[in-house]
Amino acid sequence: MNDEGRFGQYGGSFIPEILYSSQQQLLKAYREAMADTSFVQQVKSEMQHFSGRPTPLTYCANLTQKIGGAQIYLKREDLNHSGAHKMNNVIGQGLLAKRMGKTRVIAETGAGQHGVASALVAARLGLECVVYMGAHDIERQYPNVFWMKQLGATVVPVSTGAATLKDALDEALRDWSSSYEDTHYLIGTSCGCAPYPEMVAGFQSVIGEEVKEQSIQQFGKHPDRIYACVGGGSNACGIFLPFVDTQTELVGVEAGGRSNDPGEHAMRFNTDQARFGIAQGFATRFLQDDEGQLQPTHSISAGLDYVGVSPILADLEEQGKVRMTSANDIEVIEAFKLLTRNEGIIPALESSHAVAGGLKEAATMSPDEHLVINISGRGDKDIFNIAKALNDEPFTEFLHSYLKEGAAQ
């Protein structure tokens, strides 16, 4: 980003005056910390010894043979501690908050993975943790809510608006406005005011840096294409940025949802329903109506239904350095089943969008080409949504029986 925190026309800091000094304090602390080799080494050490990095680059021999075309590899962020890429950023920001003398962290979450990661690191570092989560997302992702509470975090349901990620972010900003003296706002995606987009993307870039080394070791060159799902954009930024301006094609896969109608998807690209706007502290492409009001969204995955997108990705797409496509809910479930049954890997529904996009295009590529799909998280958290999508009656019967037995006791 430039000195004003912008990426082309996107980004910046559009915040209330009360937050200005806190934002400037964070910007200064972040710059100083990243110039301190001991801090950088501390972050790397925690990523290795607490989170379990590096994560593997896994070859999918069965899918490669089944689909034909390119050689298919998966970057296994699902094997991080907490089961998702979110831990990379949370470790960095948690250590930064501790360095700044903060005693409390707040976070917003959609799918719940960032909330769990924030609660894990807060417990490890001795920080109070409050997580804001849309009431609708809580219903879809309650297993993650359960674990946040067990880790000592306070989970605050947000019932305003559509009761999803956008609304949780709004509430977290309100909290930060009144608690900034002792609180660090631990944003989970590469959005928000400066320095958050750069900071989150920077901590997440460990994903792409590892792929650079692993691809050379495993097949002697960098990937021809890389696929990542795109909600706010943290996992996509993490795997894409180290490959910008290289020969590797970078492909983002958005939530195509149920249809192209307003409120039925979460596509910020390849649609006339999204355009430049300013909200939630930064400028980017937002889904808006004719009057500039933010639109409701839908995705089968709770983590991809954000109304905006990282200013970094908006700028890269505008420059032609990232190509955006989408996968609808039906394609996502089919991709989930393909990967699960053929490779024994259970992806999150968010990651299944990237799987859908990658597998669709793999067949059009040649056998001497290699593609990497970022598996940003594992599917344990999605068991209820997946069972519902698959119309698994035995699972429904099990839940009814279990709840009935619990009530009887």
Side-chain angles (χ1 to χ4, degrees), residues 29-353:
Y30 169 64
R31 289 281 189 250
E32 290 177 350
M34 296 311 292
D36 183 346
T37 55
S38 65
F39 175 79
V40 173
Q41 187 54 45
Q42 186 181 19
V43 172
K44 290 181 177 179
S45 177
E46 282 293 285
M47 285 183 173
Q48 178 182 356
H49 299 294
F50 182 58
S51 189
R53 301 209 70 88
T55 58
L57 186 65
T58 301
Y59 178 52
C60 295
N62 298 330
L63 275 179
T64 297
Q65 182 177 11
K66 183 180 183 69
I67 291 173
Q71 307 299 308
I72 301 168
Y73 288 77
L74 308 178
K75 180 56 174 168
R76 303 293 306 283
E77 291 302 290
D78 57 309
L79 297 181
N80 258 329
H81 183 36
S82 84
H85 71 290
K86 294 296 185 181
M87 184 60 72
N88 306 323
N89 166 55
V90 168
I91 286 173
Q93 284 200 55
L95 291 172
L96 181 62
K98 196 81 172 177
R99 178 185 173 104
M100 293 171 66
K102 306 296 184 180
T103 59
R104 178 176 180 262
V105 293
I106 57 174
E108 85 298 328
T109 193
Q113 289 298 132
H114 176 60
V116 171
S118 298
L120 282 165
V121 168
R124 182 167 175 83
L125 298 179
L127 300 169
E128 180 187 351
C129 181
V130 176
V131 179
Y132 290 90
M133 189 171 186
H136 179 55
D137 289 338
I138 286 178
E139 293 175 359
R140 295 197 285 178
Q141 301 290 331
Y142 195 79
N144 277 341
V145 176
F146 173 83
W147 289 120
M148 287 181 236
K149 291 180 177 179
Q150 302 314 304
L151 288 160
T154 300
V155 181
V156 180
V158 178
S159 56
T160 54
T164 56
L165 181 59
K166 174 186 76 67
D167 312 291
L169 199 152
D170 286 338
E171 287 302 315
L173 281 171
R174 291 189 183 97
D175 184 320
W176 195 33
S177 296
S178 61
S179 62
Y180 56 86
E181 290 185 358
D182 68 349
T183 297
H184 173 67
Y185 181 12
L186 208 167
I187 291 182
T189 195
S190 51
C191 295
C193 65
Y196 282 107
E198 179 188 285
M199 178 165 61
V200 175
F203 289 135
Q204 291 291 2
S205 290
V206 64
I207 305 172
E209 294 294 349
E210 288 179 2
V211 172
K212 272 190 165 182
E213 294 183 9
Q214 292 167 327
S215 60
I216 295 294
Q217 292 169 357
Q218 292 180 227
F219 49 86
K221 64 174 187 175
H222 290 157
D224 294 283
R225 286 185 200 168
I226 295 176
Y227 294 82
C229 64
V230 178
S234 62
N235 94 93
C237 284
I239 197 167
F240 287 169
L241 291 184
F243 289 95
V244 170
D245 294 325
T246 70
Q247 295 300 309
T248 300
E249 184 181 11
L250 308 174
V251 185
V253 187
E254 296 187 284
R258 291 183 287 247
S259 75
N260 293 331
D261 295 335
E264 294 295 296
H265 64 88
M267 295 182 291
R268 287 65 43 93
F269 303 93
N270 301 313
T271 175
D272 59 3
Q273 297 162 30
R275 60 185 185 276
F276 179 91
I278 298 171
Q280 299 181 326
F282 70 112
T284 191
R285 292 179 62 87
F286 288 101
L287 284 162
Q288 307 171 51
D289 62 21
D290 292 338
E291 297 178 349
Q293 298 299 309
L294 299 184
Q295 292 270 47
T297 58
H298 162 77
S299 170
I300 194 171
S301 59
L304 296 189
D305 60 4
Y306 183 47
V307 69
V309 67
S310 170
I312 299 173
L313 294 177
D315 181 49
L316 289 174
E317 192 275 341
E318 196 168 273
Q319 294 183 59
K321 296 180 178 181
V322 170
R323 173 165 63 91
M324 290 293 178
T325 183
S326 65
N328 63 41
D329 289 352
I330 295 173
E331 292 171 326
V332 168
I333 290 297
E334 288 305 309
F336 170 87
K337 291 193 294 186
L338 265 175
L339 180 56
T340 301
R341 294 177 182 179
N342 287 279
E343 296 293 345
I345 295 170
I346 304 174
L349 285 175
E350 290 79 12
S351 311
S352 297
H353 284 72

